[in-house]
Amino acid sequence: MVCIQLKLFRRVRPVRLFLVEAALILLLTTLSTCLRVIAAFHTGTEVDEPIYRFAAAYYLHHGFPAVRPALSEPVIPFLYHPPFALMLLGEWFRLWGSETLLTGRMLSILCSGIVLILLYLFLLRAAGRAVAIVACLLIAIDPWLIFTNQAVYLENSQMLFCVFFAWSYWFACESDSGRERERLGRYLLAGIFLGCAIIWKHIGGFLLISVLAQYLLQRRHLRGHLLLLGVALLIMACYVFAMHCWFGAIYDNATMVQIDRTFWDRYSPGLNYSPWDAVQVIYTRYYIFPITILVLVGGALLTTVCYYKYLFKKRPLTSGNTTVLTWALGGIIFAVVSSLKSPHYMVLWLIPLYVLIAIEGVPFVLRLTRPAFRQRRAVLLMRSGLICCILLLVLTNMWSFRMRFLNPFGNTLALADSYINEHIPDDSIIITQDYFGVDILPRYINIAGITRVDQIISTSASYVALYWSTTEPLPETLQTINSRCSKMATFTGFKDHVEICKLYKGTVASMLSASVHVARIVLTRRRHHQPGQNPIVLALKKIISQSPWSLFNHGDHYTSRHQHARQTRHTHHIHSGRTLHGTSWTHHMKGIATPVPTVVPVPFGPPIPTVVPVPVATPIPTLVPIPIGPLEPMVTPIPTVMVEPTSPSILIPTGS
């Protein structure tokens, strides 16, 4: 009887453990999902989200991801990132029959929930239940991770492969050295996950640093590590070869652009800034995420110190700890070395840092709260302090959540898109960023290649929509555009601003022509060594006489009495070997010649006191009497005299 009860207990115990683990996983996943769904409904559109959504929808209809091309540009595949994440998003759109941004955000939330489950199961095996619960709970309630996980970012799905790699790599490092084939099989599996993480998005290459850092600590399983790296590089080579064969030079150019952006050879707005700029941004805007900032700074210091102790044998090696440690270290090194400092990359660094803090912190806290019996007062104080710290952590994250997601910040990008579609004609041309261009009706010119105001004026665009934020400021060379356009609307969100305005094309063009005129005068005097008036003074006179500021609001078609008088006086003026014939330099610079004012003869009115040559009159026909009829002769009426003028009539030009 006793034996039967023991057998039943042994069978029931695993079932109870499974139910406990399932309940914990369900609780953590529900908490995480609810917070992210609330954030998805209260967060405005972020910069990269329209691009990814449009590219995935384009794949759904045309078979390859692409974005809406700018004016006079062809449609080309969107290959700056590997297409797999966009293809997954496109199939998600097909599944639900919807291509909205909210539908795409639900996929990101689903991926974050799966990541949380995988992390719990991995840490349950590698570090224990307490560490798994603490790490997953910290990840579930972190406000910055909530913000990133609800957005349409490729890192949310890439994190699945990162967790799979960390789990399989820990499993390989734990394998027995005596079973060569089994150990190599585990390293082979880790290499597959590593290669998939890299080709899902190239920033996954930071895991290669983690592998090298782990081998420096372990100094064993050389064949396994070579197999892991070989399989990962083989997957990358197959991907690159296939993409080159499919897309050719388009893929090669996009890949080189990404490499240049990563290693400081190409500037990327919003992605390249110094540590001092990051501190200023945190102080002015991101101060509402204090826990995230402490985890980044403190976790980086903890990672460096722990790796130093492991490297110089000051601590015993444990595969579970060192796998997570090198995972976090690889992210820190890549973040420091790379020029890309995008905020949504932080999900790749924060998750391993939280796991490392849980691995190092939970045993430390347990040791502090279990002292000897004679230190009962100390136990009470330590436990009270621990409870206060937990409450402070939870309350701080609640405050951050409220400040970021529950405050009425405007949806800047969506409001600007709606305004452009409602108030700007569809046949107009607007200069703006591509993440505006994919969702607006007017044609657009990408502002990415424009660095000066004169480049904006020289285009055919009539409107401009400028975007700037705390991490992506407006270039200094474009900050004077506000004085050369009329503001139509301004939208402000959590950290970003959008200003839509109509350009003063005619007036600014005249100012540019004046600058060209100054350059011509300077060159002429340098050649002939002739003294004269200061060219700057001449330029000012030209601006005052031709482009009065009072005419700014009249658009491109404006005329003044002074301009008309100047045109009539210099109708046949010859300037530098070029006949103007009533055309100003302004319109020559614009490539459009102003025609000579049309003249219309005066059909009626009082006689004009002007000497006119006497025309030759047609002879009056002779009167012929009618022989039949009464005696009173009837005279034929004299026809109107038709005058053939020998000189031009007096003409009056049209216009004011």
Side-chain angles (χ1 to χ4, degrees):
M1 190 67 180
V2 177
C3 295
I4 295 175
Q5 291 179 353
L6 289 175
K7 290 181 180 179
L8 290 175
F9 180 75
R10 290 174 182 174
R11 291 180 181 178
V12 172
R13 186 178 180 183
V15 175
R16 289 181 178 177
L17 290 177
F18 174 78
L19 292 177
V20 170
E21 304 300 343
L24 289 174
I25 291 174
L26 180 61
L27 181 62
L28 291 172
T29 307
T30 303
L31 175 63
S32 172
T33 303
C34 291
L35 292 175
R36 282 150 178 79
V37 169
I38 294 173
F41 281 95
H42 291 83
T43 305
T45 306
E46 291 299 313
V47 166
D48 289 336
E49 288 187 290
I51 299 293
Y52 297 152
R53 186 207 62 82
F54 189 94
Y58 197 92
Y59 158 78
L60 184 61
H61 297 288
H62 301 279
F64 63 93
V67 298
R68 182 190 178 192
L71 183 66
S72 303
E73 293 184 5
V75 177
I76 60 174
F78 183 77
L79 301 177
Y80 294 104
H81 302 301
F84 304 112
L86 300 176
M87 294 167 65
L88 176 63
L89 183 58
E91 296 300 329
W92 178 262
F93 288 156
R94 189 195 307 275
L95 176 64
W96 296 102
S98 173
E99 301 172 3
T100 62
L101 187 64
L102 184 61
T103 305
R105 287 183 171 182
M106 292 302 110
L107 177 61
S108 298
I109 295 173
L110 177 63
C111 291
S112 66
I114 298 175
V115 166
L116 199 66
I117 295 173
L118 293 175
L119 266 178
Y120 183 87
L121 297 176
F122 164 48
L123 294 177
L124 186 65
R125 292 285 305 274
R129 182 185 298 170
V131 173
I133 293 174
V134 171
C136 292
L137 182 61
L138 292 175
I139 291 171
I141 65 175
D142 181 81
W144 186 267
L145 290 178
I146 293 173
F147 163 73
T148 306
N149 291 152
Q150 60 81 36
V152 183
Y153 288 153
L154 308 184
E155 289 79 10
N156 292 315
S157 54
Q158 185 186 26
M159 201 67 208
L160 291 169
F161 293 100
C162 294
V163 176
F164 274 126
F165 164 72
W167 194 349
S168 59
Y169 189 40
W170 166 81
F171 193 54
C173 293
E174 284 286 311
S175 60
D176 188 6
S177 301
R179 299 178 180 180
E180 184 73 15
R181 181 174 298 181
E182 180 182 354
R183 184 177 72 252
L184 293 179
R186 294 182 181 183
Y187 277 103
L188 175 65
L189 182 63
I192 292 174
F193 286 127
L194 175 59
C196 292
I198 294 175
I199 68 172
W200 195 261
K201 191 176 182 183
H202 297 320
I203 197 173
F206 80 93
L207 294 174
L208 294 173
I209 304 175
S210 302
V211 173
L212 297 177
Q214 175 74 358
Y215 181 74
L216 288 177
L217 292 181
Q218 297 288 339
R219 301 292 179 93
R220 61 174 187 163
H221 299 171
L222 177 60
R223 294 179 61 184
H225 282 86
L226 292 178
L227 178 62
L228 183 151
L229 295 176
V231 171
L233 294 177
L234 179 62
I235 293 175
M236 295 169 56
C238 292
Y239 163 76
V240 172
F241 178 75
M243 294 294 288
H244 176 76
C245 293
W246 191 4
F247 296 104
I250 299 177
Y251 169 74
D252 299 339
N253 295 334
T255 303
M256 293 307 299
V257 168
Q258 287 298 93
I259 293 175
D260 292 342
R261 294 173 63 199
T262 304
F263 296 105
W264 302 93
D265 290 333
R266 182 186 292 266
Y267 173 73
S268 300
L271 299 180
N272 307 121
Y273 43 86
S274 64
W276 175 245
D277 294 334
V279 171
Q280 290 180 322
V281 169
I282 292 172
Y283 177 75
T284 57
R285 182 74 278 182
Y286 291 106
Y287 65 90
I288 64 174
F289 300 104
I291 301 299
T292 304
I293 297 170
L294 289 176
V295 169
L296 283 174
V297 178
L301 294 176
L302 178 64
T303 302
T304 305
V305 172
C306 290
Y307 189 80
Y308 173 81
K309 290 183 177 180
Y310 281 124
L311 185 63
F312 291 98
K313 309 299 181 182
K314 295 184 179 182
R315 293 181 66 178
L317 293 176
T318 55
S319 298
N321 291 6
T322 56
T323 302
V324 175
L325 174 65
T326 53
W327 181 15
L329 183 66
I332 294 172
I333 293 175
F334 187 88
V336 172
V337 174
S338 172
S339 63
L340 301 180
K341 302 293 190 299
S342 178
H344 58 262
Y345 294 162
M346 289 187 353
V347 65
L348 301 174
W349 330 136
L350 278 174
I351 289 181
L353 287 177
Y354 268 121
V355 174
L356 179 64
I357 290 174
I359 290 176
E360 297 290 335
V362 170
F364 177 74
V365 172
L366 292 177
R367 287 196 302 268
L368 288 180
T369 56
R370 293 176 184 174
F373 180 77
R374 62 179 182 272
Q375 297 177 347
R376 183 176 300 176
R377 183 175 298 178
V379 172
L380 294 176
L381 291 176
M382 290 179 183
R383 289 181 179 178
S384 301
L386 178 61
I387 293 174
C388 293
C389 291
I390 294 174
L391 289 176
L392 180 62
L393 172 68
V394 174
L395 292 176
T396 304
N397 281 339
M398 291 176 61
W399 175 79
S400 300
F401 186 87
R402 178 185 175 276
M403 291 294 293
R404 180 60 183 91
F405 303 111
L406 302 183
N407 270 355
F409 293 113
N411 191 351
T412 308
L413 269 67
L415 292 175
D417 289 340
S418 300
Y419 183 89
I420 292 172
N421 292 332
E422 293 176 5
H423 295 84
I424 295 180
D426 296 349
D427 56 350
S428 301
I429 301 175
I430 184 171
I431 299 178
T432 185
Q433 284 85 352
D434 51 358
Y435 39 82
F436 282 106
V438 296
D439 290 329
I440 60 177
L441 298 178
R443 297 170 294 173
Y444 79 99
I445 297 175
N446 197 342
I447 202 174
I450 297 177
T451 58
R452 302 190 311 274
V453 174
D454 59 335
Q455 292 177 329
I456 294 179
I457 303 303
S458 63
T459 63
S460 57
S462 302
Y463 302 88
V464 60
L466 298 175
Y467 172 90
W468 69 94
S469 66
T470 53
T471 56
E472 185 178 343
L474 191 68
E476 295 182 359
T477 54
L478 296 180
Q479 292 180 0
T480 58
I481 189 64
N482 290 331
S483 61
R484 304 184 181 184
C485 64
S486 72
K487 186 186 300 184
M488 299 176 62
T490 302
F491 304 95
T492 301
F494 168 70
K495 63 179 179 62
D496 45 7
H497 310 271
V498 176
E499 185 173 301
I500 304 172
C501 57
K502 179 176 174 57
L503 295 171
Y504 294 129
K505 298 297 287 296
T507 303
V508 179
S510 65
M511 296 179 67
L512 295 176
S513 68
S515 62
V516 173
H517 187 61
V518 171
R520 289 177 179 271
I521 294 175
V522 173
L523 291 176
T524 303
R525 290 180 178 173
R526 287 182 178 178
R527 291 175 182 174
H528 302 286
H529 303 285
Q530 296 179 358
Q533 194 174 5
N534 192 337
I536 299 179
V537 177
L538 295 176
L540 293 176
K541 287 184 177 180
K542 189 175 184 66
I543 293 174
I544 294 173
S545 61
Q546 292 187 356
S547 305
W549 296 98
S550 60
L551 299 175
F552 254 20
N553 294 326
H554 292 277
D556 296 341
H557 308 286
Y558 64 92
T559 309
S560 64
R561 292 194 302 269
H562 302 287
Q563 289 176 322
H564 169 61
R566 187 165 55 254
Q567 288 175 352
T568 54
R569 286 197 304 269
H570 302 283
T571 301
H572 301 285
H573 176 63
I574 307 299
H575 189 284
S576 302
R578 181 181 297 181
T579 306
L580 295 184
H581 295 291
T583 304
S584 65
W585 278 107
T586 300
H587 296 87
H588 274 292
M589 292 298 297
K590 294 175 59 179
I592 303 174
T594 303
V596 179
T598 308
V599 291
V600 181
V602 181
F604 302 102
I608 302 174
T610 306
V611 179
V612 180
V614 179
V616 180
T618 306
I620 302 176
T622 308
L623 300 178
V624 180
I626 301 175
I628 302 174
L631 296 176
E632 293 83 12
M634 296 183 67
V635 181
T636 304
I638 301 176
T640 304
V641 178
M642 304 299 295
V643 181
E644 296 291 338
T646 58
S647 63
S649 303
I650 302 301
L651 306 178
I652 298 178
T654 60
S656 57

